[in-house]
């Protein structure tokens, strides 16, 4: 079955960087766009970024949130997508999910990886 | 950005009840509207895509309707496993945006 597994989360100090990974299995990875969505503790879902199936197109949430600090990428030879996060802020603390795009929605989602930005 | 507004923010219902959640977009999004269910501590699960298409494996008691700016998620007969938070999401234009969520609780 299709499975996505995130990794790379942890505790990081403000201003530092972190790279999340999303490893996919059970699908032809190169056929699908991938999205990152985050959820701050006790809050709703926030779309972060997306990358097209071949990596040629990348999309980000707006400037005030992540644009300019986060970079999405993928390596289809490794069936893996990445989210490079720099200059992290306390408000970036969240569970980060990756998901496959299918039929215009996100399915399935990974189990999520927790990023905590704290000194 | 396209703003998505759900109502109500929460509701209490009993097993067997018919439940309706609404979602309004700040501009027309045609039928580019998805619904997700999320249970505590779990990742969201796609229920409905393209406003009214049932995702594979999702029980038929879930249905979606609407187009343009106004959409509805209906659970025809609420089951114990349906107590969760539901989110709408537009995929008409990036950045994709979610509604704030509707928590369905046990009455």
């Amino acid at each position: 079955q299709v499975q996505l597994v995130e990794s790379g989360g942890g505790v990081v100090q403000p201003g530092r960087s972190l790279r999340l990974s999303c490893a996919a299995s059970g699908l032809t990875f190169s056929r699908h766009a991938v999205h990152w969505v985050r959820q701050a503790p006790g809050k709703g879902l926030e779309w972060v970024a997306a990358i097209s199936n071949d990596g040629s197109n990348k999309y980000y949430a707006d400037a005030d949130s992540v644009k300019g600090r986060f970079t999405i990428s993928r390596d289809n030879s490794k069936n893996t997508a990445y989210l490079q996060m720099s200059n992290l802020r306390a408000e970036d603390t969240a569970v980060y999910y990756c998901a496959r795009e299918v039929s215009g929605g996100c399915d399935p989602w990974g189990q999520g990886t927790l990023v905590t930005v704290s000194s | 950005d396209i703003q998505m507004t759900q109502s109500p923010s929460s509701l209490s219902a009993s097993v067997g009840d018919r439940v309706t959640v609404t979602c309004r977009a700040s501009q027309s999004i045609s039928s580019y509207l998805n619904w997700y269910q999320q249970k505590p501590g779990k990742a969201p699960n796609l229920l409905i895509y393209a406003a009214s298409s049932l995702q594979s494996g999702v029980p038929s008691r879930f249905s979606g309707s609407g187009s343009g700016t106004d959409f509805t998620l209906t659970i025809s007969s609420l089951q114990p496993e349906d107590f969760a938070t539901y989110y709408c999401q537009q995929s008409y234009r990036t950045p994709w945006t979610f509604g704030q969520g509707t928590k369905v609780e046990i009455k």
Side-chain angles (χ1 to χ4, degrees), chain A residues 2-6 21-24 27 29 31-38 45-53 72-74 80-83 96-113, chain B residues 36 43-46 89 96 98:
Chain A
V2 178
Q3 189 174 16
L4 301 174
V5 178
E6 302 93 338
S21 299
C22 170
L27 75 164
F29 185 67
R31 291 184 180 174
H32 299 279
V34 173
H35 294 250
W36 287 94
V37 175
R38 67 183 180 183
L45 301 171
E46 180 186 15
W47 183 86
V48 173
I51 186 167
S52 60
N53 65 310
I72 192 171
S73 62
R74 66 190 295 160
T80 301
Y82 305 97
L83 187 68
Y96 285 75
Y97 297 100
C98 66
R100 175 187 66 167
E101 180 180 327
V102 60
S103 302
C106 291
D107 182 74
W109 298 50
Q111 84 288 351
T113 187
Chain B
Y36 299 87
N45 183 45
L46 178 65
Q89 176 207 43
W96 287 14
F98 290 89

Side-chain angles (χ1 to χ4, degrees), chain A residues 1-101:
Chain A
Q1 75 280 18
V2 178
Q3 189 174 16
L4 301 174
V5 178
E6 302 93 338
S7 60
V11 180
V12 61
Q13 293 179 329
R16 303 298 290 264
S17 298
L18 204 61
R19 189 179 80 158
L20 306 182
S21 299
C22 170
S25 59
L27 75 164
T28 305
F29 185 67
S30 61
R31 291 184 180 174
H32 299 279
V34 173
H35 294 250
W36 287 94
V37 175
R38 67 183 180 183
Q39 187 168 37
K43 302 298 184 182
L45 301 171
E46 180 186 15
W47 183 86
V48 173
I51 186 167
S52 60
N53 65 310
D54 62 359
S56 62
N57 293 296
K58 302 175 183 181
Y59 309 91
Y60 297 94
D62 285 344
D64 285 349
S65 53
V66 306
K67 200 168 186 178
R69 298 189 299 123
F70 288 13
T71 302
I72 192 171
S73 62
R74 66 190 295 160
D75 184 341
N76 285 345
S77 68
K78 295 182 178 179
N79 286 355
T80 301
Y82 305 97
L83 187 68
Q84 177 70 46
M85 306 184 293
S86 62
N87 192 20
L88 284 161
R89 307 167 180 167
E91 53 265 37
D92 295 318
T93 293
V95 174
Y96 285 75
Y97 297 100
C98 66
R100 175 187 66 167
E101 180 180 327

